[in-house]
Amino acid sequence: MTILDEIEPIRRQRVYDLVHAAGVDVSHWDVSKGNSSSAASNPKYCFDWSFVGESAVVLNLWHDGMEEREGIVRYALNPRQTAEKATGRRLLRARQMEAAIQTAMRARLPIRAIVNAGNRKNASNRTTSVKRRLLDPVAWRVESYDDETGHCTLVRSQGRPTFIDQFTAREIGTESPDKKTVTTEVTARCPQVRQQVLTRANGYCEYCREPGFTTGDGKIFLETHHVIPLAESGPDTPHNVVALCPNHHREAHHGAMRDAIRQQLLAHLQTFA
């Protein structure tokens, strides 16, 4: 499977949720039609091509415009050239996108890509229609930028992000934690199994396919879960362990649909058998 295959969107996720997952403040979206429930459809923001936060710049990129060579993915664009041929909101969005790219370079901010799939506006399509989206778990950066022409090439960072789970977080802990004596019996979990499962999930919940959240130090957090519990003699192997978002991990343990979730996760694991 190529990198482009891995990051091809398969679901239509909301821009609001993906921008928020990338670490950009979206609280100002709530000022829309008088209530926060319509924030995600706020036309002042949801159709923008770029978003700038304190720790990252988010850009909307088209999957069919990405090029992969020798394991490196690049994306060429020229918002300035687009602005020269545009009017109205399209003109403003193109200018904002170029400014966002310049901000990423000046402030050395990572670029988070919302990967879009659908119909782009061109000679045969009069309007743009995004059918599917995802937030790439790997950061991008500006590889080249021409001040005179505005031509820019973005490159997807090489290497994989660092994935952690709830047990990793305990391992890294604090240098001087409070100590107390506890007598109990627990089953050890193999760290290699957990890491293999996190790598397989590639930053996405294996139940709902939503991305895990990014921690303050840039790691991607999901929780590892034994589908057949260790207490029920379930094996501690990658064929019985999945990576879940915290919400669905709790639901898999305590929810009314936990039996159905277990069956769905078992069916998912069968695809790797």
Coordinates of all heavy atoms in Angstrom, one line a residue, residues 38-113:
S38 N -24.7 25.5 15.6 CA -24.5 25.7 14.2 C -23.1 26.1 13.8 O -22.8 26.5 12.7 CB -25.5 26.8 13.7 OG -25.3 28.0 14.4
A39 N -22.2 26.0 14.8 CA -20.8 26.5 14.6 C -20.2 25.8 13.4 O -19.5 26.4 12.6 CB -20.0 26.3 15.9
A40 N -20.4 24.5 13.3 CA -19.7 23.7 12.3 C -20.1 24.1 10.9 O -19.3 23.9 10.0 CB -19.9 22.2 12.5
S41 N -21.2 24.7 10.7 CA -21.7 25.1 9.4 C -21.6 26.6 9.2 O -22.2 27.2 8.3 CB -23.1 24.7 9.2 OG -24.0 25.2 10.2
N42 N -20.8 27.3 10.1 CA -20.6 28.7 10.0 C -20.0 29.1 8.7 O -18.8 28.8 8.5 CB -19.7 29.2 11.2 CG -19.7 30.7 11.3 OD1 -19.8 31.4 10.3 ND2 -19.4 31.2 12.5
P43 N -20.7 29.7 7.8 CA -20.1 30.0 6.4 C -19.0 31.0 6.4 O -18.2 31.0 5.5 CB -21.3 30.6 5.7 CG -22.2 31.2 6.7 CD -22.1 30.3 7.9
K44 N -18.8 31.7 7.5 CA -17.7 32.6 7.6 C -16.3 31.9 7.7 O -15.3 32.4 7.4 CB -17.9 33.5 8.9 CG -16.8 34.6 9.0 CD -17.1 35.5 10.2 CE -16.1 36.6 10.3 NZ -16.4 37.5 11.4
Y45 N -16.4 30.6 8.1 CA -15.1 29.8 8.3 C -15.1 28.5 7.6 O -14.0 28.1 7.1 CB -14.9 29.6 9.8 CG -14.9 30.8 10.7 CD1 -16.0 31.2 11.5 CD2 -13.8 31.7 10.6 CE1 -16.0 32.3 12.2 CE2 -13.8 32.9 11.4 CZ -14.9 33.1 12.2 OH -14.9 34.3 12.9
C46 N -16.2 27.7 7.6 CA -16.2 26.3 7.2 C -15.7 26.1 5.7 O -15.3 25.0 5.3 CB -17.5 25.6 7.5 SG -18.9 26.2 6.4
F47 N -15.8 27.2 4.9 CA -15.4 27.0 3.5 C -14.0 27.6 3.2 O -13.6 27.6 2.1 CB -16.4 27.7 2.6 CG -17.8 27.1 2.6 CD1 -18.9 27.9 3.1 CD2 -18.1 25.8 2.2 CE1 -20.2 27.3 3.2 CE2 -19.3 25.3 2.3 CZ -20.4 26.0 2.8
D48 N -13.4 28.0 4.3 CA -12.0 28.6 4.1 C -11.0 27.5 3.7 O -11.3 26.3 4.0 CB -11.5 29.3 5.4 CG -12.2 30.6 5.6 OD1 -12.9 31.1 4.6 OD2 -12.0 31.2 6.7
W49 N -9.9 27.9 3.1 CA -8.9 26.9 2.6 C -7.8 26.8 3.6 O -7.0 25.9 3.5 CB -8.4 27.4 1.3 CG -9.4 27.6 0.2 CD1 -10.7 27.1 0.2 CD2 -9.2 28.2 -1.1 NE1 -11.3 27.5 -1.0 CE2 -10.4 28.1 -1.8 CE3 -8.1 28.9 -1.7 CZ2 -10.6 28.7 -3.1 CZ3 -8.3 29.4 -2.9 CH2 -9.5 29.3 -3.6
S50 N -7.7 27.7 4.6 CA -6.6 27.7 5.5 C -7.0 28.2 6.8 O -8.0 29.0 6.9 CB -5.4 28.5 4.9 OG -5.8 29.9 4.7
F51 N -6.3 27.8 7.9 CA -6.6 28.2 9.3 C -5.3 28.3 10.0 O -4.4 27.4 9.9 CB -7.5 27.2 9.9 CG -8.7 26.8 9.1 CD1 -8.7 25.8 8.2 CD2 -9.9 27.6 9.3 CE1 -9.8 25.5 7.4 CE2 -11.0 27.3 8.5 CZ -11.0 26.2 7.6
V52 N -5.1 29.4 10.8 CA -3.8 29.6 11.5 C -4.1 29.6 13.0 O -5.0 30.3 13.5 CB -3.2 31.0 11.0 CG1 -2.0 31.3 11.8 CG2 -3.0 31.0 9.5
G53 N -3.3 28.8 13.7 CA -3.4 28.7 15.1 C -2.0 29.0 15.7 O -1.0 29.3 15.0
E54 N -1.9 29.0 17.0 CA -0.7 29.3 17.7 C 0.4 28.2 17.5 O 1.6 28.5 17.5 CB -0.9 29.5 19.2 CG -1.8 30.7 19.5 CD -2.0 31.0 21.0 OE1 -1.5 30.1 21.8 OE2 -2.6 31.9 21.4
S55 N -0.1 27.0 17.3 CA 0.9 25.9 17.2 C 0.9 25.2 15.9 O 1.7 24.3 15.7 CB 0.6 24.8 18.3 OG -0.7 24.3 18.2
A56 N 0.0 25.5 15.0 CA 0.0 24.9 13.7 C -0.8 25.7 12.7 O -1.6 26.6 13.0 CB -0.6 23.5 13.8
V57 N -0.5 25.5 11.4 CA -1.3 26.0 10.3 C -2.0 24.8 9.6 O -1.4 23.8 9.4 CB -0.4 26.7 9.3 CG1 -1.1 27.0 8.0 CG2 0.2 28.0 9.9
V58 N -3.3 25.0 9.3 CA -4.0 24.0 8.7 C -4.4 24.4 7.3 O -4.9 25.5 7.1 CB -5.3 23.7 9.5 CG1 -6.1 22.5 8.8 CG2 -5.0 23.3 10.9
L59 N -4.1 23.5 6.3 CA -4.4 23.8 4.9 C -5.3 22.7 4.3 O -5.1 21.5 4.6 CB -3.1 23.9 4.1 CG -2.1 24.9 4.5 CD1 -0.9 24.8 3.6 CD2 -2.6 26.3 4.5
N60 N -6.2 23.1 3.5 CA -7.0 22.1 2.8 C -6.3 21.8 1.5 O -6.0 22.7 0.7 CB -8.4 22.7 2.4 CG -9.4 22.6 3.5 OD1 -9.9 21.5 3.8 ND2 -9.8 23.7 4.2
L61 N -6.0 20.5 1.3 CA -5.3 20.1 0.1 C -6.1 19.0 -0.6 O -6.8 18.2 0.1 CB -3.9 19.5 0.5 CG -3.0 20.4 1.3 CD1 -1.7 19.7 1.6 CD2 -2.7 21.7 0.6
W62 N -5.9 18.9 -1.9 CA -6.7 17.9 -2.6 C -5.8 16.6 -2.8 O -4.7 16.7 -3.2 CB -7.1 18.4 -4.0 CG -8.2 19.4 -3.9 CD1 -8.1 20.8 -3.8 CD2 -9.6 19.1 -3.9 NE1 -9.3 21.3 -3.7 CE2 -10.3 20.3 -3.8 CE3 -10.3 17.9 -4.0 CZ2 -11.7 20.4 -3.8 CZ3 -11.7 18.0 -4.0 CH2 -12.4 19.2 -3.9
H63 N -6.5 15.5 -2.5 CA -5.7 14.2 -2.6 C -5.2 14.0 -4.0 O -4.1 13.5 -4.2 CB -6.7 13.1 -2.2 CG -6.0 11.7 -2.1 ND1 -6.0 10.9 -3.2 CD2 -5.2 11.1 -1.2 CE1 -5.3 9.8 -2.9 NE2 -4.9 9.9 -1.7
D64 N -6.1 14.3 -5.0 CA -5.6 14.0 -6.4 C -4.6 15.0 -6.9 O -4.0 14.8 -8.0 CB -6.8 14.0 -7.4 CG -7.5 15.4 -7.4 OD1 -7.0 16.4 -6.9 OD2 -8.6 15.4 -8.1
G65 N -4.2 16.0 -6.1 CA -3.1 16.9 -6.5 C -1.8 16.5 -5.8 O -0.8 17.1 -6.1
M66 N -1.8 15.4 -5.0 CA -0.6 15.0 -4.3 C 0.2 14.0 -5.2 O -0.4 13.3 -6.0 CB -0.9 14.3 -3.0 CG -1.6 15.3 -2.0 SD -2.1 14.4 -0.5 CE -2.8 15.8 0.4
E67 N 1.5 14.1 -5.1 CA 2.4 13.3 -5.9 C 3.3 12.5 -5.0 O 4.0 13.2 -4.1 CB 3.2 14.1 -6.9 CG 4.1 13.3 -7.8 CD 4.8 14.2 -8.8 OE1 5.8 14.8 -8.4 OE2 4.3 14.3 -10.0
E68 N 3.4 11.2 -5.2 CA 4.3 10.4 -4.4 C 5.4 9.9 -5.2 O 5.2 9.2 -6.2 CB 3.5 9.3 -3.7 CG 4.4 8.4 -2.8 CD 3.6 7.3 -2.1 OE1 2.4 7.3 -2.2 OE2 4.3 6.4 -1.5
R69 N 6.7 10.1 -4.8 CA 7.8 9.5 -5.4 C 8.8 9.0 -4.4 O 9.2 9.8 -3.5 CB 8.5 10.6 -6.3 CG 7.8 11.0 -7.6 CD 8.6 11.9 -8.5 NE 7.9 12.3 -9.7 CZ 8.3 13.1 -10.6 NH1 9.5 13.6 -10.5 NH2 7.6 13.4 -11.7
E70 N 9.2 7.8 -4.5 CA 10.2 7.2 -3.7 C 9.8 7.4 -2.2 O 10.7 7.7 -1.3 CB 11.6 7.7 -3.9 CG 12.1 7.4 -5.4 CD 13.4 8.0 -5.6 OE1 14.0 8.7 -4.8 OE2 14.0 7.6 -6.7
G71 N 8.6 7.2 -1.9 CA 8.1 7.3 -0.5 C 7.9 8.7 0.1 O 7.7 8.9 1.2
I72 N 8.1 9.7 -0.8 CA 7.9 11.1 -0.4 C 6.7 11.7 -1.1 O 6.6 11.6 -2.3 CB 9.2 11.9 -0.6 CG1 10.4 11.4 0.2 CG2 9.0 13.4 -0.2 CD1 11.7 12.0 -0.1
V73 N 5.8 12.4 -0.3 CA 4.6 13.0 -0.9 C 4.8 14.5 -1.0 O 5.1 15.1 0.0 CB 3.4 12.6 -0.1 CG1 2.1 13.2 -0.7 CG2 3.2 11.1 -0.1
R74 N 4.5 15.1 -2.1 CA 4.6 16.5 -2.3 C 3.3 17.0 -2.9 O 2.5 16.3 -3.5 CB 5.8 16.9 -3.2 CG 7.1 16.6 -2.6 CD 8.3 17.1 -3.6 NE 9.6 17.0 -3.0 CZ 10.3 15.9 -2.9 NH1 9.9 14.8 -3.5 NH2 11.5 16.0 -2.3
Y75 N 3.1 18.4 -2.7 CA 1.9 19.0 -3.2 C 2.3 20.4 -3.7 O 2.8 21.2 -2.9 CB 0.9 19.1 -2.1 CG -0.5 19.6 -2.5 CD1 -1.5 18.7 -2.9 CD2 -0.8 21.0 -2.6 CE1 -2.7 19.1 -3.3 CE2 -2.1 21.4 -3.0 CZ -3.0 20.5 -3.3 OH -4.3 20.9 -3.7
A76 N 2.1 20.7 -5.0 CA 2.5 22.0 -5.6 C 1.2 22.8 -5.7 O 0.1 22.3 -6.1 CB 3.1 21.8 -6.9
L77 N 1.3 24.1 -5.3 CA 0.2 25.0 -5.4 C 0.7 26.4 -5.5 O 1.9 26.8 -5.3 CB -0.7 24.9 -4.1 CG -0.1 25.4 -2.8 CD1 -1.3 25.6 -1.8 CD2 0.9 24.5 -2.2
N78 N -0.2 27.3 -6.0 CA 0.1 28.7 -6.2 C -1.1 29.5 -5.9 O -1.9 29.9 -6.8 CB 0.6 29.0 -7.6 CG 1.3 30.4 -7.7 OD1 0.9 31.3 -7.0 ND2 2.3 30.5 -8.5
P79 N -1.4 29.8 -4.6 CA -2.6 30.6 -4.2 C -2.6 32.0 -4.8 O -3.7 32.5 -5.1 CB -2.5 30.6 -2.7 CG -1.7 29.5 -2.3 CD -0.7 29.3 -3.4
R80 N -1.4 32.6 -5.0 CA -1.3 33.9 -5.6 C -1.9 33.9 -7.0 O -2.6 34.8 -7.4 CB 0.1 34.4 -5.6 CG 0.2 35.9 -6.0 CD 1.7 36.3 -6.1 NE 2.4 36.1 -4.8 CZ 3.7 36.3 -4.7 NH1 4.4 36.8 -5.7 NH2 4.3 36.0 -3.6
Q81 N -1.5 32.9 -7.8 CA -2.0 32.8 -9.1 C -3.5 32.5 -9.2 O -4.2 33.1 -10.0 CB -1.2 31.6 -9.8 CG -1.5 31.5 -11.3 CD -0.7 30.4 -11.9 OE1 -0.9 29.2 -11.7 NE2 0.3 30.7 -12.7
T82 N -4.0 31.7 -8.2 CA -5.4 31.5 -8.1 C -6.1 32.8 -7.8 O -7.2 33.1 -8.4 CB -5.7 30.5 -7.0 OG1 -5.1 29.3 -7.3 CG2 -7.2 30.3 -6.9
A83 N -5.6 33.6 -6.9 CA -6.2 34.9 -6.6 C -6.3 35.9 -7.8 O -7.2 36.6 -7.9 CB -5.4 35.6 -5.4
E84 N -5.3 35.8 -8.6 CA -5.3 36.7 -9.8 C -6.4 36.4 -10.7 O -6.8 37.3 -11.5 CB -3.9 36.6 -10.5 CG -2.7 37.1 -9.8 CD -1.4 36.8 -10.4 OE1 -1.4 36.0 -11.4 OE2 -0.4 37.3 -9.9
K85 N -7.0 35.2 -10.7 CA -8.0 34.9 -11.6 C -9.4 34.8 -10.9 O -10.4 34.4 -11.5 CB -7.7 33.5 -12.2 CG -6.4 33.5 -13.0 CD -6.1 32.0 -13.5 CE -4.8 32.0 -14.2 NZ -4.5 30.6 -14.7
A86 N -9.4 35.1 -9.6 CA -10.6 34.9 -8.8 C -11.2 36.3 -8.4 O -10.6 37.3 -8.5 CB -10.3 34.1 -7.5
T87 N -12.5 36.2 -7.9 CA -13.2 37.3 -7.3 C -13.9 36.9 -6.1 O -14.0 35.7 -5.8 CB -14.2 37.9 -8.3 OG1 -15.2 36.8 -8.6 CG2 -13.6 38.3 -9.6
G88 N -14.4 37.9 -5.3 CA -15.2 37.6 -4.1 C -14.5 36.7 -3.1 O -13.3 36.9 -2.8
R89 N -15.3 35.8 -2.5 CA -14.7 34.9 -1.5 C -13.6 34.1 -1.9 O -12.7 33.8 -1.2 CB -15.9 34.1 -0.9 CG -17.0 34.8 -0.2 CD -16.5 35.5 1.0 NE -16.1 34.6 2.1 CZ -15.6 34.9 3.2 NH1 -15.5 36.2 3.5 NH2 -15.2 34.0 4.1
R90 N -13.6 33.6 -3.2 CA -12.5 32.8 -3.7 C -11.2 33.6 -3.7 O -10.1 33.0 -3.3 CB -12.9 32.3 -5.1 CG -11.8 31.3 -5.6 CD -12.3 30.8 -7.0 NE -11.3 29.9 -7.6 CZ -11.2 28.6 -7.3 NH1 -12.0 28.1 -6.5 NH2 -10.3 27.9 -7.9
L91 N -11.3 34.8 -4.0 CA -10.1 35.7 -4.0 C -9.6 35.8 -2.6 O -8.4 35.7 -2.3 CB -10.5 37.1 -4.6 CG -9.4 38.2 -4.4 CD1 -8.1 37.9 -5.1 CD2 -10.0 39.5 -4.9
L92 N -10.5 36.1 -1.6 CA -10.1 36.3 -0.2 C -9.4 35.0 0.3 O -8.4 35.0 1.0 CB -11.3 36.7 0.6 CG -11.0 36.8 2.1 CD1 -10.0 37.9 2.4 CD2 -12.4 37.1 2.8
R93 N -10.0 33.8 0.0 CA -9.5 32.6 0.5 C -8.1 32.3 -0.1 O -7.3 31.7 0.6 CB -10.5 31.4 0.2 CG -11.8 31.5 1.0 CD -12.9 30.6 0.5 NE -14.1 30.8 1.2 CZ -15.3 30.7 0.7 NH1 -15.5 30.3 -0.6 NH2 -16.4 30.9 1.4
A94 N -7.9 32.6 -1.3 CA -6.6 32.3 -1.9 C -5.6 33.2 -1.3 O -4.4 32.7 -1.0 CB -6.7 32.6 -3.4
R95 N -5.9 34.5 -1.0 CA -4.9 35.4 -0.3 C -4.7 34.9 1.1 O -3.5 35.0 1.6 CB -5.5 36.8 -0.4 CG -5.4 37.5 -1.7 CD -6.1 38.8 -1.7 NE -5.9 39.6 -3.0 CZ -6.4 40.7 -3.2 NH1 -7.2 41.3 -2.3 NH2 -6.2 41.3 -4.4
Q96 N -5.7 34.5 1.8 CA -5.5 34.0 3.1 C -4.6 32.7 3.1 O -3.8 32.6 4.1 CB -6.9 33.6 3.8 CG -7.7 34.9 4.1 CD -9.1 34.5 4.6 OE1 -9.6 33.4 4.3 NE2 -9.7 35.3 5.4
M97 N -4.8 31.9 2.1 CA -3.9 30.7 2.1 C -2.5 31.0 1.9 O -1.6 30.4 2.5 CB -4.4 29.8 1.0 CG -3.8 28.4 1.0 SD -4.6 27.3 -0.3 CE -4.4 25.7 0.5
E98 N -2.2 32.0 1.0 CA -0.8 32.3 0.8 C -0.2 32.9 2.1 O 0.9 32.7 2.5 CB -0.6 33.3 -0.3 CG 0.8 33.7 -0.6 CD 1.1 34.5 -1.8 OE1 0.1 35.2 -2.3 OE2 2.3 34.6 -2.2
A99 N -1.0 33.8 2.8 CA -0.6 34.4 4.0 C -0.3 33.3 5.1 O 0.6 33.4 5.9 CB -1.6 35.4 4.5
A100 N -1.2 32.2 5.1 CA -1.0 31.1 6.1 C 0.3 30.4 5.8 O 1.0 30.0 6.7 CB -2.2 30.2 6.0
I101 N 0.6 30.2 4.5 CA 1.9 29.5 4.2 C 3.1 30.4 4.6 O 4.0 29.8 5.1 CB 1.9 29.2 2.6 CG1 0.9 28.2 2.3 CG2 3.3 28.8 2.2 CD1 0.7 28.0 0.8
Q102 N 3.0 31.7 4.4 CA 4.1 32.5 4.8 C 4.2 32.5 6.3 O 5.3 32.5 6.9 CB 3.8 34.0 4.3 CG 3.9 34.1 2.8 CD 3.4 35.5 2.3 OE1 2.7 36.2 3.0 NE2 3.8 35.8 1.1
T103 N 3.1 32.5 7.1 CA 3.1 32.4 8.5 C 3.8 31.1 9.0 O 4.6 31.1 9.9 CB 1.7 32.5 9.1 OG1 1.1 33.7 8.8 CG2 1.7 32.3 10.6
A104 N 3.5 30.0 8.3 CA 4.1 28.7 8.7 C 5.6 28.8 8.5 O 6.4 28.2 9.3 CB 3.5 27.6 7.8
M105 N 6.1 29.5 7.5 CA 7.5 29.6 7.2 C 8.2 30.5 8.3 O 9.2 30.2 8.9 CB 7.8 30.1 5.8 CG 7.4 29.2 4.7 SD 8.1 29.7 3.1 CE 7.2 31.3 3.0
R106 N 7.6 31.7 8.5 CA 8.2 32.7 9.4 C 8.2 32.1 10.8 O 9.2 32.3 11.5 CB 7.4 34.0 9.4 CG 7.6 34.8 8.1 CD 7.1 36.2 8.3 NE 5.7 36.3 8.8 CZ 4.7 36.3 8.0 NH1 4.8 36.4 6.7 NH2 3.5 36.4 8.5
A107 N 7.1 31.6 11.3 CA 7.0 31.1 12.7 C 7.5 29.7 12.8 O 7.4 29.1 14.0 CB 5.5 31.2 13.1
R108 N 7.9 29.0 11.7 CA 8.3 27.6 11.8 C 7.3 26.7 12.4 O 7.5 25.9 13.3 CB 9.6 27.5 12.5 CG 10.8 28.2 11.8 CD 12.1 28.0 12.4 NE 13.2 28.6 11.7 CZ 14.5 28.6 12.0 NH1 14.8 27.8 13.1 NH2 15.4 29.2 11.3
L109 N 6.0 26.9 12.0 CA 4.9 26.1 12.5 C 4.7 24.9 11.6 O 4.9 25.0 10.3 CB 3.6 26.9 12.5 CG 3.5 28.1 13.4 CD1 2.2 28.9 13.3 CD2 3.7 27.6 14.9
P110 N 4.3 23.8 12.1 CA 4.0 22.6 11.3 C 2.7 22.9 10.5 O 1.8 23.6 11.0 CB 3.8 21.5 12.3 CG 3.4 22.2 13.6 CD 4.2 23.5 13.6
I111 N 2.6 22.3 9.4 CA 1.4 22.4 8.6 C 0.6 21.1 8.7 O 1.2 20.0 8.5 CB 1.7 22.6 7.1 CG1 2.3 24.0 6.9 CG2 0.5 22.5 6.2 CD1 2.8 24.3 5.5
R112 N -0.6 21.2 9.1 CA -1.5 20.0 9.2 C -2.4 20.0 8.0 O -3.1 21.1 7.7 CB -2.3 20.0 10.5 CG -1.5 20.0 11.8 CD -0.6 18.7 11.9 NE -1.4 17.5 11.7 CZ -2.1 17.0 12.7 NH1 -2.1 17.5 14.0 NH2 -2.8 15.8 12.6
A113 N -2.5 19.0 7.3 CA -3.2 18.9 6.0 C -4.6 18.2 6.2 O -4.7 17.1 6.7 CB -2.4 18.2 5.0

